[in-house]
Amino acid sequence: MLNGMFIEAHIADLHFGAMEPNEQYKILKEQFLDKLYEIPILDIVSICGDIFHHKFMANSNVVYIASYFITQLISICEQKNTTLLILSGTYSHDADQIKLFYPLAEQVKGRVDVRIIEEARFEYVKGKKILCIPELYGKGKTYYENLLFGQGPYDMCIMHGTYVNSVYGKIVPNLDAEREPIFCMNDFNLCLGPIISGHIHQPQCYDKHFYYCGSPYRWQFGDEPTKGFIWLLQDTVSHTYVVKYEEIISDKYITLNLDDLIDNKPEDTISFINNYREKENIKYIRVVFTKSNLANINVIDTYFRNNKFVDIVNNSKNDNVVKTIDEVQEKYNEFEYIYDNNMTAEEKLVRYINDCKGYVMFTTEDLVNILKDL
Ligand SMILES: [Mn+2]
């Protein structure tokens, strides 16, 4: 830090375990850690929640890789005298697992400034006053108002949460919400700089000062925009700042409507899909048809059936497919256990999830334990 000038990096929603964790680490190493390493001055790095995708077992590769990532990040922070702030995110994702990092922080105590933040509070870093708000539930208005208005102006806010209009249906600001609060710009009237948040996976900016980092990579259809992290340059003396979005390149997921091609020869549509994927360097493509031409869709679907990178979706409403008795019976047999009085609701749910996944994702005991924690 030089004369109140701060250089910082902010990232969020890593969701370790949402995809192959080694793949996640590789992207983060090459396009996040290495970039932090290259920059000569780095005052603060924050991870604004959702490091994990859900609760994982201590022996999982996910926990190992995520811990390894944090260790590498701490090592960079040590070399650059950077303060590392780690916020907890959504409970169903982080599930208190950032506790795993307390021993890592303890180990470097006195050498690296690592702060793990599970409660909303102010953190003072090199003279900068930072409001930190993890995602918390049922805290009530007074809890937030005390921080937002009761303790004077502050330089910036980092958080994991919901900004008004960022989520469908969340259109009214509400600090008193039963679960997580919905913030608006008035709540940050005493903030002299930006509000940088995790939670929404598409990078965006609301009301000039509220920034969502977005997630650093893609792992599903429907989440297709730019990915990356935020560089922040802030002058705490003149209260000015610049945010730069650093794009991270990862696998492309594209959803494409090809109704215009549906009546062409299916072979031509197939080559169009193959060429388009190659030309645009798309890893995963979902092709949607809303116009009906069952014969052609079937040919295309059959061609791509064993291709995990191409997903053909038939959304045409008027294809009155008559199911055979055997098909109906097969479906019925598949779900017969739903009516089994000897199974508990938890057992049925676990069976359903594991059947859908095609492997044992968790046992009934796991589920009971997860529910106990909520
Ligand atoms: Mn998230």
Side-chain angles (χ1 to χ4, degrees):
M1 192 271 300
L2 207 67
N3 303 328
M5 189 67 89
F6 284 77
I7 299 173
E8 309 172 11
H10 301 274
I11 194 166
D13 296 283
L14 310 185
H15 285 260
F16 272 105
M19 52 195 259
E20 220 295 295
N22 286 297
E23 187 57 34
Q24 295 177 296
Y25 178 77
K26 187 171 180 283
I27 296 170
L28 290 170
K29 163 82 175 98
E30 290 169 0
Q31 301 186 68
F32 178 64
L33 294 179
D34 286 355
K35 281 179 182 162
L36 299 191
Y37 184 76
E38 281 162 22
I39 192 162
I41 298 170
L42 185 60
D43 299 296
I44 297 170
V45 172
S46 84
I47 305 179
C48 294
D50 285 6
I51 292 180
F52 292 96
H53 193 48
H54 56 78
K55 195 184 231 181
F56 291 97
M57 305 288 273
N59 64 356
S60 66
N61 211 28
V62 174
V63 167
Y64 167 65
I65 302 279
S67 304
Y68 185 72
F69 167 76
I70 297 294
T71 309
Q72 296 302 103
L73 180 55
I74 288 175
S75 150
I76 291 171
C77 290
E78 177 168 20
Q79 293 169 56
K80 310 215 166 262
N81 193 26
T82 307
T83 295
L84 175 60
L85 304 169
I86 300 175
L87 266 68
S88 55
T90 302
Y91 192 79
S92 57
H93 296 307
D94 274 338
D96 289 334
Q97 292 172 109
I98 67 167
K99 285 193 168 60
L100 286 167
F101 309 132
Y102 281 114
L104 300 179
E106 190 62 34
Q107 219 168 18
V108 295
K109 207 171 174 178
R111 291 187 285 127
V112 196
D113 184 13
V114 181
R115 308 187 196 181
I116 294 164
I117 298 150
E118 298 180 278
E119 291 292 321
R121 62 171 185 251
F122 285 99
E123 289 290 334
Y124 294 83
V125 180
K126 298 158 187 166
K128 188 173 186 183
K129 184 179 177 185
I130 304 172
L131 177 55
C132 304
I133 311 178
E135 184 162 303
L136 302 166
Y137 308 101
K139 288 286 181 188
K141 203 173 180 168
T142 334
Y143 177 86
Y144 293 104
E145 280 184 345
N146 172 45
L147 293 157
L148 294 164
F149 303 109
Q151 300 184 43
Y154 50 96
D155 295 301
M156 79 176 297
C157 173
I158 56 172
M159 59 178 281
H160 187 93
T162 306
Y163 194 76
V164 68
N165 289 318
S166 67
V167 177
Y168 180 77
K170 308 258 178 175
I171 52 168
V172 181
N174 184 5
L175 292 180
D176 223 5
E178 212 172 296
R179 269 182 66 80
E180 71 274 24
I182 304 166
F183 294 92
C184 68
M185 197 42 72
N186 281 341
D187 295 328
F188 300 103
N189 276 345
L190 295 186
C191 185
L192 302 169
I195 303 100
I196 297 181
S197 184
H199 194 40
I200 302 295
H201 290 186
Q202 295 84 37
Q204 40 202 302
C205 176
Y206 291 92
D207 299 325
K208 286 196 182 125
H209 300 294
F210 191 103
Y211 293 86
Y212 277 115
C213 298
S215 48
Y217 28 61
R218 304 177 193 91
W219 63 83
Q220 61 193 354
F221 289 110
D223 183 19
E224 298 167 11
T226 312
K227 299 284 156 188
F229 67 95
I230 283 176
W231 288 118
L232 171 69
L233 179 67
Q234 185 174 7
D235 180 351
T236 54
V237 177
S238 66
H239 307 312
T240 49
Y241 72 88
V242 182
V243 162
K244 182 187 178 290
Y245 198 71
E246 180 82 34
E247 191 175 346
I248 291 178
I249 307 299
S250 66
D251 289 341
K252 271 195 208 171
Y253 284 77
I254 298 295
T255 304
L256 205 62
N257 181 303
L258 289 186
D259 281 348
D260 290 349
L261 304 186
I262 191 56
D263 295 326
N264 296 1
K265 277 201 324 222
E267 297 74 28
D268 293 347
T269 310
I270 289 168
S271 1
F272 175 86
I273 294 168
N274 283 329
N275 292 338
Y276 186 79
R277 259 194 82 210
E278 202 178 300
K279 196 178 76 206
E280 301 290 322
N281 195 19
I282 295 162
K283 185 143 180 193
Y284 297 95
I285 189 163
R286 169 173 284 173
V287 176
V288 180
F289 296 106
T290 60
K291 262 172 67 180
S292 184
N293 186 330
L294 202 55
N296 282 357
I297 294 177
N298 277 341
V299 175
I300 298 164
D301 191 33
T302 306
Y303 177 88
F304 288 112
R305 181 145 299 162
N306 294 317
N307 187 333
K308 64 173 180 174
F309 302 112
V310 182
D311 184 23
I312 306 295
V313 178
N314 176 8
N315 273 347
S316 55
K317 291 282 172 279
N318 50 351
D319 56 41
N320 294 314
V321 189
V322 179
K323 283 199 159 64
T324 65
I325 293 294
D326 281 352
E327 280 173 334
V328 174
Q329 188 62 42
E330 198 185 309
K331 266 282 169 244
Y332 178 76
N333 290 342
E334 197 184 332
F335 294 111
E336 211 182 354
Y337 63 90
I338 301 280
Y339 305 102
D340 185 345
N341 290 329
N342 295 319
M343 284 174 80
T344 65
E346 289 86 356
E347 283 169 342
K348 287 174 189 175
L349 180 60
V350 166
R351 161 99 182 253
Y352 176 75
I353 292 167
N354 290 338
D355 282 355
C356 289
K357 286 280 172 188
Y359 63 92
V360 180
M361 190 175 169
F362 48 77
T363 64
T364 311
E365 207 187 345
D366 294 337
L367 178 72
V368 171
N369 285 334
I370 292 167
L371 292 174
K372 242 189 251 160
D373 284 356
L374 290 179

